[in-house]
Amino acid sequence: MTGTFPVTWPDRAAASRKNGQSIMDVILHLGAHRTGTTTFQHYVRDHLDTLAQGDIGYWGPARTRKSVFPGLFHAVNPRRPQRAQGRVRMLAAKAEARGVRRLLISDENMLGSCIDAFRRAALYPAAGEHMARLAAALGGRVSRVVLTIRAQDMWWASASALTAARGHRVHDAAKYAQIARGARGWRDVITDLACALPGADIRVMPFETFAGRPECTLREALDLDLPGDGRLRWLNRSLPLTELRDVLRERGGDPTVLPRGEGRWQPFTLAQAAALREKYADDLHWLAAGADGLATLTQDEIRARAGSNLPPGHMTEGHTHEQRQVAQHR
């Protein structure tokens, strides 16, 4: 499939320059979690040969979590991040020496973890610190950042299903009330990214618009038009309540901690979900108005652009709805 269609590569003479010398550009695909990152990463791996023809390298989670980033974001031992920064710097230099002109790095854990978000009841509270460490390690090579955002009530619900399915604790009503009261939204995350990566081109893609369309994410990252995924994969989806209860039972947990019924697990009350949706609407409005010059909201040339109002049907999005969304986004 790869390498069998024409691709127009950007002018390589336009590569980033520092002190008069061409340097490798680094493009960060940060995710976020629960926004189709796994599907995107599989899509990129399908096209590695084609990307290599344009001197584009790729580091995905299979590499970053095993041999590139370990210790970089360690919050306790200050020596571990220092050693990790040296390792990242060395590996980036080796990639550049091999002729890689652009390096795409995709790993949602660069922002932080869902576990830490729940622990602190806030959306990626360490994103700025993580990006500052990564920027230092990459020596100013980061030229672009791609971030996909999602309505907070749905993001937290999906993160809840993911963490519960992986054996982490099922949080109580008090935790979700704390999350709903929190002030931190995507605007705060994006502002942290802009402070840590000054000069980087930050592009923000609403999940509700681009779900199931990894080719659009790749276009934002690399300015390349590659074909869509005809297999319509939707990887690492949230488990519905019936399957989540089975997983808890198999792990020796108590399935009754989950609510009755079927479909998506929505842990927030109606009022809490409405408050989170209002916060997301504010985030989108800020982005559409220019984001104070910090980021650019990606507009869809085919579908109506994301504005301050959430897309129709968003409030009822569920497991089967996600499947329908994929089929619609060919």
Side-chain angles (χ1 to χ4, degrees):
M1 179 177 178
T2 59
T4 60
F5 46 86
V7 177
T8 301
W9 300 106
D11 183 1
R12 294 178 189 176
S16 294
R17 293 186 175 274
K18 187 176 183 180
N19 297 326
Q21 294 182 344
S22 177
I23 65 171
M24 178 179 69
D25 282 332
V26 175
I27 298 92
L28 302 179
H29 171 247
L30 300 181
H33 295 86
R34 318 314 298 151
T35 62
T37 54
T38 304
T39 301
F40 172 73
Q41 288 151 4
H42 277 73
Y43 176 81
V44 172
R45 290 205 299 268
D46 286 345
H47 295 283
L48 287 179
D49 291 343
T50 301
L51 296 182
Q53 294 174 16
D55 297 334
I56 298 172
Y58 173 65
W59 291 353
R63 181 171 187 185
T64 56
R65 298 178 191 181
K66 181 179 180 181
S67 60
V68 181
F69 291 160
L72 182 63
F73 308 125
H74 199 275
V76 178
N77 185 347
R79 294 183 179 179
R80 291 190 65 187
Q82 293 174 1
R83 291 195 295 266
Q85 284 179 340
R87 181 174 62 252
V88 174
R89 192 174 298 114
M90 176 192 68
L91 292 172
K94 285 185 175 181
E96 187 172 5
R98 290 195 303 271
V100 173
R101 298 270 60 83
R102 291 190 290 170
L103 177 63
L104 173 63
I105 305 177
S106 177
D107 187 342
E108 57 272 34
N109 283 354
M110 289 187 285
L111 283 171
S113 69
C114 294
I115 298 302
D116 187 50
F118 277 110
R119 183 182 300 116
R120 299 168 66 176
L123 196 63
Y124 295 118
E129 180 182 353
H130 284 198
M131 287 301 103
R133 291 183 181 182
L134 186 55
L138 291 169
R141 289 184 171 93
V142 178
S143 61
R144 183 174 297 177
V145 174
V146 178
L147 173 71
T148 302
I149 63 175
R150 186 176 187 178
Q152 282 91 315
D153 61 320
M154 303 305 295
W155 187 90
W156 285 103
S158 187
S160 298
L162 173 71
T163 54
R166 294 184 175 177
H168 297 285
R169 65 174 296 186
V170 176
H171 299 282
D172 58 17
K175 172 63 71 174
Y176 290 105
Q178 181 185 9
I179 291 170
R181 291 194 304 268
R184 186 172 174 83
W186 291 113
R187 176 175 179 170
D188 302 286
V189 175
I190 293 164
T191 300
D192 288 349
L193 298 181
C195 291
L197 299 165
D201 174 16
I202 300 177
R203 302 187 177 189
V204 183
M205 306 180 70
F207 171 82
E208 295 78 13
T209 301
F210 294 101
R213 302 164 69 189
E215 70 279 6
C216 296
T217 305
L218 189 67
R219 184 186 307 122
E220 283 302 295
L222 299 174
D223 298 320
L224 294 179
D225 286 310
L226 299 186
D229 189 342
R231 285 167 290 184
L232 299 177
R233 291 176 295 181
W234 191 278
L235 304 175
N236 200 26
R237 291 181 299 170
S238 300
L239 294 178
L241 279 167
T242 51
E243 295 181 36
L244 273 177
R245 283 191 286 266
D246 290 341
V247 169
L248 290 183
R249 191 177 296 108
E250 291 170 1
R251 293 180 179 275
D254 179 10
T256 64
V257 297
L258 295 173
R260 297 179 180 180
E262 301 178 355
R264 178 187 293 278
W265 174 27
Q266 176 50 268
F268 295 103
T269 67
L270 291 176
Q272 291 167 351
L276 290 169
R277 287 195 299 273
E278 182 177 357
K279 187 176 301 179
Y280 185 55
D282 290 342
D283 291 336
L284 289 176
H285 180 76
W286 173 72
L287 283 162
D292 298 327
L294 302 180
T296 302
L297 178 65
T298 299
Q299 308 289 0
D300 192 338
E301 296 178 357
I302 300 175
R303 301 175 61 184
R305 78 174 193 172
S308 59
N309 296 318
L310 299 184
H314 169 73
M315 294 176 59
T316 59
E317 184 183 39
H319 188 69
T320 55
H321 177 79
E322 288 181 338
Q323 291 175 307
R324 291 195 299 272
Q325 286 282 77
V326 174
Q328 292 170 358
H329 295 327
R330 296 196 177 192

